[in-house]
Amino acid sequence: MSRIKARFEALKTEGRGALIPYLQAFDPDYETSLELLKAMPAAGADLIEIGVPFSDPSADGPTIQAAALRGLKAGATLGGVLEMVRSFRETDAETPIILMGYLNPIDSYGPAEFCFDAVQAGVDGIIVVDMPTEEADLLDAHARAAGLDIISLVAPTTARTRLFHVLKDASGFVYYVSITGITGTGSASQAQLEEALPKIREATDLPVAIGFGISTPEQARAASRIGDAAVVASALIKTMAGTLSEGQATEKTVPSVLKQLIELSAAVRG
Amino acid sequence: MTTPSSSLSNSLRSGPDERGRFGVFGGRFVAETLMPLVLELEEAYRATQADPAFREELDYYYRDYVGRPSPLWFAKRLTEELGGAKVYLKREELNHTGSHKLNNVMGQILLARRMGKTRIVAETGAGQHGVATATVCALFGLKCVIYMGATDVERQKPNVFRMHLLGAEVKPVTAGAGTLKDAMNEAMRDWVANVADTYFLVGTVAGPHPYPEMVRDFQSIIGTEVKEQIVRAEGRLPDVIVAAIGGGSNAMGIFHPFLDDADVRLIGVEAAGLGLDSGKTAASISRGRSGVLHGNRTYLLQDKHGQIEEAHSISAGLDYPGIGPEHSWLNDIGRAEYVGVTDQEALDAFQLLTRTEGIIPALECAHGLAHVMKIAPEMPKDKIIVLNVSGRGDKDIFTVASHLGVNL
């Protein structure tokens, strides 16, 4: 059984949803982001999303754009991100790792090689922002062969018939982009989520994670209950960015993010 | 879904396929949030293609508002100066707003109105597309937001002021190098956040399908006119057609009607910046490789890890690390040739055309002219070259002055 499936099944038994924190790889440097990654499970991360820095993150808001730039400045490459996951796996064999990023670095790495290397490194799933269902054949067969879940994205603009089309061969879990917008800019209301989720569940039996615009413990709790998981990204990066001194990590960097993560996790568990 | 071009199965003009691909290039690489919009746009565009009233309406605006057809001018003094092939100039700079950009914008704004959109966003590099977009928004009373790289805002001040006068909001983009690529990212972010009422009016033959096809179709009026005009003037088709390429819309517009005329050489001129091997270039085909950016697969300037590199050109309109996917395909199948021209060569050409023909060209098409200056002298006098003069150079006089050491 895949780590993703095992984790969601275990949480179902516990009777709660998952918290999925996000960090941008190499932000602000390799060591700090690896230290943060390694500490996240103990602070309450059920799954972890790692952003792969890209020069042109056209679906991201200012917070993640800045994080990507810091990551690139620190030398981030897709190969380097896999190295980071490999190192994480030395201390954690259970927490699912999902890479989130844009297609071009994967295309440049080589789709088949990437899928193979990613699974070898310990990656469980990938979210490719600019690869809709219509273009997914670029990775599908390779991912399937390697045992890598391609996480499908659905949005408020995804109509009912399209939901069935997009989720037909989905694996792992489904990522619901809860606002029509870029990351870290607005939030869906609880009522909007309550209206959207049943429609998605009609089209899939997979767990549904809700992301974009979830920043407070209350929002995380609501999303993890209406859906099956809450993704928190920009809010954590904002905290981290606030601890940096001239773009460099300080002694406050990792503890500040972990403190916030513990609060979010308590809300999801509470 | 049938397309009007489906009967041309043996033609090079039949692309793209139903997935929006020209060979391996093109496609629809957008976030799921935008995917339904892209599909809706394609459907709306197909409906206009099937509706003769749409074409009639567009022709009316082309004639009475844009000022079409644009003349094909025999550049006698330039031809004498170069001493070889006859050089004709397709005078797209005489269009309203001073460039070929209005051909596309006119078509898309009529489409946007049919789709009931009330707010228009666009990206712009040199500002020509931004000015054209702001112009039609003024014409139809639509809200207009133009994203422009902060660097470009600085070097294209006259166009920024024109957009303001036309009632558009110009948003400078400081991300990255503050050029066209960054403006494109920001325009896409705006679109994804305002899907209900907003139409994204793409200015070149790039982006997710159906933009490359649609923009090409609207720009093809250029080549269609050239075909008639050159036959009237010379009784035959030209030997060579030359056009400058940033994203590639003016080139695609003049090339496309000639794709099946195998005897007509098609040459796209990329901005080599400080030189093709200087590392400061915008020559995506000559120095890039296949990748995915801004909704399509095409040749991109990128590092070995797939990070997009900054383009460089003296011309803000060519300062883009990608190129329209149909050009990438035409390059790979060998139907069109792509060459590079440096900043300095373009500056020299800019001055030559001004002095020999009394036409101040945009720095973009000065790149095309610089290549004509290389090939015309080597060709016999009975050969014919058509150069697309895609825009006028008034906007560039400050840039040119500073390179010539003149303080305006």
Side-chain angles (χ1 to χ4, degrees):
Chain A
M1 190 190 295
S2 77
R3 286 189 198 100
I4 292 175
K5 195 159 189 235
R7 180 53 52 102
F8 276 107
E9 283 190 3
L11 290 175
K12 203 168 186 181
T13 318
E14 265 186 61
R16 67 174 179 90
L19 176 65
I20 311 181
Y22 170 109
L23 77 163
Q24 184 87 322
F26 286 68
D27 176 23
D29 58 71
Y30 179 82
E31 289 75 21
T32 306
S33 65
L34 179 60
E35 185 188 339
L36 184 57
L37 175 65
K38 285 184 169 172
M40 275 183 162
D46 297 306
L47 298 82
I48 301 171
E49 239 180 77
I50 303 178
V52 180
F54 182 51
S55 53
D56 295 80
S58 57
D60 284 303
T63 303
I64 294 184
Q65 284 176 47
L69 272 182
R70 286 192 299 266
L72 288 174
K73 219 171 159 186
T77 62
L78 188 51
V81 177
L82 295 185
E83 184 54 48
M84 192 173 151
V85 176
R86 211 169 288 127
S87 178
F88 171 80
R89 282 284 170 239
E90 288 167 7
T91 58
D92 188 314
E94 269 113 46
T95 308
I97 295 284
I98 293 97
L99 299 190
M100 183 165 188
Y102 294 79
L103 185 56
N104 202 52
I106 296 174
D107 190 60
S108 187
Y109 193 104
E113 296 84 343
F114 167 74
C115 291
F116 180 81
D117 289 356
V119 169
Q120 288 293 307
V123 175
D124 303 288
I126 52 167
I127 301 172
V128 187
V129 178
D130 53 350
M131 189 184 73
T133 309
E134 282 72 8
E135 304 289 355
D137 56 339
L138 184 72
L139 287 182
D140 259 347
H142 304 303
R144 221 174 285 278
L148 184 67
D149 286 327
I150 296 183
I151 308 301
S152 299
L153 296 163
V154 294
T157 49
T158 314
R160 188 169 181 277
T161 47
R162 188 168 167 78
L163 277 174
F164 282 90
H165 173 62
V166 170
L167 299 178
K168 189 160 45 82
D169 299 316
S171 65
F173 62 91
V174 174
Y175 190 119
Y176 179 53
V177 175
S178 63
I179 55 162
T180 52
I182 50 178
T183 53
T185 51
S187 304
S189 69
Q190 192 160 327
Q192 284 169 322
L193 293 180
E194 278 165 356
E195 201 195 320
L197 264 287
K199 293 177 189 163
I200 300 170
R201 293 202 195 278
E202 261 185 69
T204 184
D205 294 327
L206 293 174
V208 181
I210 300 173
F212 281 48
I214 296 175
S215 56
T216 67
E218 295 70 33
Q219 287 170 328
R221 174 163 51 204
S224 74
R225 289 180 182 183
I226 300 167
D228 302 295
V231 181
V232 183
S234 295
L236 291 169
I237 293 179
K238 238 175 236 170
T239 298
M240 197 206 68
T243 67
L244 303 179
S245 168
E246 289 173 2
Q248 303 298 310
T250 62
E251 58 192 18
K252 290 194 194 117
T253 301
V254 172
S256 302
V257 180
L258 292 178
K259 178 169 172 278
Q260 189 178 5
L261 183 53
I262 288 165
E263 287 163 15
L264 290 161
S265 153
V268 167
R269 282 157 209 261
Chain B
M1 192 177 302
T2 55
T3 68
S5 52
S6 60
S7 60
L8 300 172
S9 54
N10 291 320
S11 166
L12 294 177
R13 301 177 63 197
S14 60
D17 65 16
E18 68 283 356
R19 295 182 67 181
R21 305 243 177 136
F22 303 91
V24 300
F25 301 104
R28 288 177 289 222
F29 294 91
V30 294
E32 172 58 25
T33 315
L34 289 178
M35 195 62 204
L37 280 87
V38 164
L39 293 171
E40 180 196 343
L41 176 63
E42 185 183 355
E43 200 175 314
Y45 180 55
R46 296 287 172 238
T48 66
Q49 288 179 308
D51 180 3
F54 182 83
R55 190 68 222 185
E56 276 167 34
E57 189 182 12
L58 182 58
D59 285 343
Y60 161 72
Y61 285 103
Y62 274 173
R63 187 184 65 237
D64 291 350
Y65 190 72
V66 182
R68 302 208 69 88
S70 68
L72 183 69
W73 170 249
F74 172 53
K76 189 160 174 285
R77 289 198 66 220
L78 176 67
T79 298
E80 283 166 10
E81 175 81 24
L82 298 177
K86 285 183 164 179
V87 181
Y88 281 84
L89 307 176
K90 179 59 173 166
R91 304 286 307 277
E92 288 297 303
E93 96 283 6
L94 292 177
N95 292 333
H96 180 42
T97 76
S99 80
H100 73 292
K101 290 294 185 187
L102 200 55
N103 302 332
N104 162 48
V105 165
M106 206 69 244
Q108 285 198 59
I109 203 75
L110 296 182
L111 174 61
R113 293 182 76 211
R114 286 193 171 205
M115 293 175 74
K117 304 291 184 182
T118 55
R119 179 175 177 274
I120 307 296
V121 297
E123 82 297 344
T124 197
Q128 297 298 80
H129 175 56
V131 167
T133 303
T135 297
V136 295
C137 287
L139 177 64
F140 293 114
L142 299 170
K143 189 168 163 41
C144 181
V145 178
I146 304 292
Y147 289 93
M148 188 169 184
T151 307
D152 291 339
V153 167
E154 195 51 42
R155 61 178 168 174
Q156 301 288 342
K157 280 180 189 159
N159 272 346
V160 174
F161 186 60
R162 287 164 84 193
M163 288 185 269
H164 283 148
L165 286 174
L166 290 160
E169 183 186 353
V170 179
K171 292 195 174 178
V173 180
T174 51
T179 59
L180 183 51
K181 157 174 102 82
D182 312 296
M184 188 84 174
N185 288 332
E186 209 57 32
M188 289 181 82
R189 291 180 186 120
D190 182 307
W191 192 25
V192 85
N194 298 285
V195 293
D197 65 344
T198 296
Y199 182 92
F200 181 19
L201 209 161
V202 173
T204 192
V205 286
H209 177 63
Y211 283 108
E213 174 191 351
M214 186 166 66
V215 176
R216 173 202 74 196
D217 290 349
F218 290 135
Q219 291 294 2
S220 288
I221 185 79
I222 304 173
T224 303
E225 286 177 7
V226 167
K227 225 170 184 175
E228 282 176 28
Q229 291 166 323
I230 196 72
V231 168
R232 210 180 306 136
E234 295 280 349
R236 67 178 184 91
L237 297 183
D239 299 287
V240 182
I241 294 176
V242 178
I245 300 208
S249 70
N250 89 79
M252 214 52 245
I254 197 168
F255 287 177
H256 193 257
F258 291 92
L259 289 185
D260 290 331
D261 300 300
D263 293 336
V264 181
R265 269 179 80 191
L266 306 173
I267 304 178
V269 183
E270 298 191 293
L274 301 182
L276 282 178
D277 297 315
S278 66
K280 294 221 170 270
T281 173
S284 318
I285 286 190
S286 298
R287 289 297 175 270
R289 60 188 171 87
S290 174
V292 174
L293 180 72
H294 296 154
N296 59 181
R297 172 178 296 283
T298 193
Y299 279 99
L300 299 171
L301 296 175
Q302 54 181 316
D303 70 12
K304 64 178 177 181
H305 301 292
Q307 304 293 342
I308 309 304
E309 291 178 330
E310 300 294 346
H312 167 86
S313 170
I314 187 173
S315 153
L318 303 182
D319 208 344
Y320 181 68
I323 186 165
E326 195 166 7
H327 284 297
S328 295
W329 174 68
L330 290 173
N331 175 73
D332 280 16
I333 63 168
R335 177 61 190 98
E337 304 155 54
Y338 295 86
V339 298
V341 151
T342 63
D343 290 350
Q344 188 57 51
E345 290 169 328
L347 276 169
D348 295 344
F350 177 96
Q351 295 170 80
L352 179 72
L353 192 66
T354 304
R355 289 188 192 148
T356 56
E357 297 293 334
I359 296 170
I360 302 179
L363 274 173
E364 287 78 30
C365 39
H367 285 75
L369 178 62
H371 190 68
V372 170
M373 288 162 64
K374 292 178 188 174
I375 61 171
E378 310 297 323
M379 291 168 67
K381 292 190 176 181
D382 61 347
K383 297 289 182 187
I384 303 166
I385 300 175
V386 175
L387 169 71
N388 198 11
V389 180
S390 57
R392 68 175 182 229
D394 309 48
K395 68 181 175 60
D396 293 315
I397 56 171
F398 299 97
T399 306
V400 173
S402 89
H403 280 271
L404 298 178
V406 178
N407 203 354
L408 292 185

